[in-house]
Amino acid sequence: MKKTFSFTLLMGLLTLLWNACHTSPSIITATGMPYEVEVVTTRTIWDDSLGVALRAELERPISGLPQAEPSMRVTFVTPDDFNGLMTYVRNIVILNIDAERYTKLSVRVEKDSWAKGQAVVHISAPDEAAVLTYLADNRGALTDYFTRLEMTRMAQVMQETYSSLVMDSVKSKFGIMLNVPSDITSFKDTTDFFWASNDAKSGRMDVVVYTFPYTDPNTFTLEYMHHMRDSILGANIPGAYPNSHMATQPIGLSYTPITLQGKYCGVLRGLWRMEGDMMGGPFVSFARLDEANHRVIVAEGFVYAPETDKRNYIRRLEAGLHTLRLPGEFDKPLDGVEEVKEKN
């Protein structure tokens, strides 16, 4: 009886081991931290001018932060060492230069090549000059692609795990939906203004939502959105000292139109400061037109994290802002990420 049991147990373990070794790659979940990119190429290329240019592209400084921070954390591996766990990384760039194999530049994207949730950008060319030209002509495209991809991943996670307090409050108060990080649980609710925070001592993240009537097509401009932000947040977010209040740093302020749920969305990005106080940090604000109710909906995230990197904090909040849905959009899927500019 003992021998039979031992044989059955052994066969069961062997079966499990065989299944583990022969599991489809798509079942394995991609590894790595958000905003990390692994570059696969030869040591010679990596140390040459092309490697320098590729690193400069992927480490391009993020706009709207008080100190320079790279868009991506870049790691390097040679083709000989690209195996096992190295193939499961979530973001990969494979760079091949071979005059015998390629007659022209090719840039293409593959999804889930070795792991689920993975994106692999293949760049192939007969010489380094072709890739250098592509990077120069499409400056920022590769970094923007991985950034949008990570935003989409985070937004999808927030579809499952989010602050129910914020969701319930903005849905009841404004008739909209918004998924933000689940640790944002402290809030202040006034008549026309909603303000929530994680109240963290280190890496504080805040979210505000407000509306104002839509009366002028010139509303969606940098100047007007700057004015409305200072007016509404200045009145609703006081500082620790008398007469101190939130304001916008005019230097470095940017306004970019994007498409959200198939419609126009204005993105205001820059730095905030507390007038009469020493506080400040980055913010990002999404403004959309609610045509049915003749109003502008603004959802914003801002960060206070002195003496530490702020990239991942502000990007977590921005990912949440991408889930902003107006009346009539609740059942629509979230917008997906655009592909990197391919070339064949």
Side-chain angles (χ1 to χ4, degrees), residues 12-26:
L13 291 173
L14 290 174
T15 299
L16 289 173
L17 180 61
W18 188 93
N19 287 335
C21 292
H22 293 79
T23 299
S24 170
S26 62

Side-chain angles (χ1 to χ4, degrees), residues 102-155:
Y102 310 110
T103 59
K104 61 180 182 178
L105 174 76
S106 172
V107 180
R108 59 186 176 86
V109 177
E110 285 186 357
K111 298 292 182 65
D112 304 335
S113 299
W114 293 277
K116 184 178 180 181
Q118 182 184 65
V120 181
V121 177
H122 293 266
I123 304 177
S124 306
D127 51 51
E128 294 189 13
V131 184
L132 286 169
T133 299
Y134 172 82
L135 293 176
D137 292 345
N138 300 277
R139 196 176 302 275
L142 196 58
T143 300
D144 290 345
Y145 168 71
F146 282 119
T147 300
R148 294 193 305 270
L149 181 61
E150 290 289 11
M151 288 284 180
T152 300
R153 288 167 174 158
M154 284 189 181

Side-chain angles (χ1 to χ4, degrees), residues 155 159 167 170 174-180 207-211 259-266 285-290 295-300 317-327 329-330 332-335:
Q159 289 289 284
M167 175 65 81
V170 299
F174 301 109
I176 65 171
M177 293 184 72
L178 183 67
N179 301 66
V180 300
V207 171
V208 297
V209 179
Y210 57 90
T211 71
T259 300
L260 198 62
Q261 297 298 324
K263 296 182 179 179
Y264 182 94
C265 175
S285 175
F286 280 31
R288 296 191 59 197
L289 175 60
D290 179 5
R295 61 179 179 169
V296 177
I297 301 280
V298 179
E300 174 179 317
L317 291 174
E318 186 170 352
L321 298 184
H322 276 89
T323 70
L324 176 62
R325 284 150 291 170
L326 305 187
E329 300 174 348
F330 293 176
K332 292 183 179 180
L334 295 180
D335 291 338

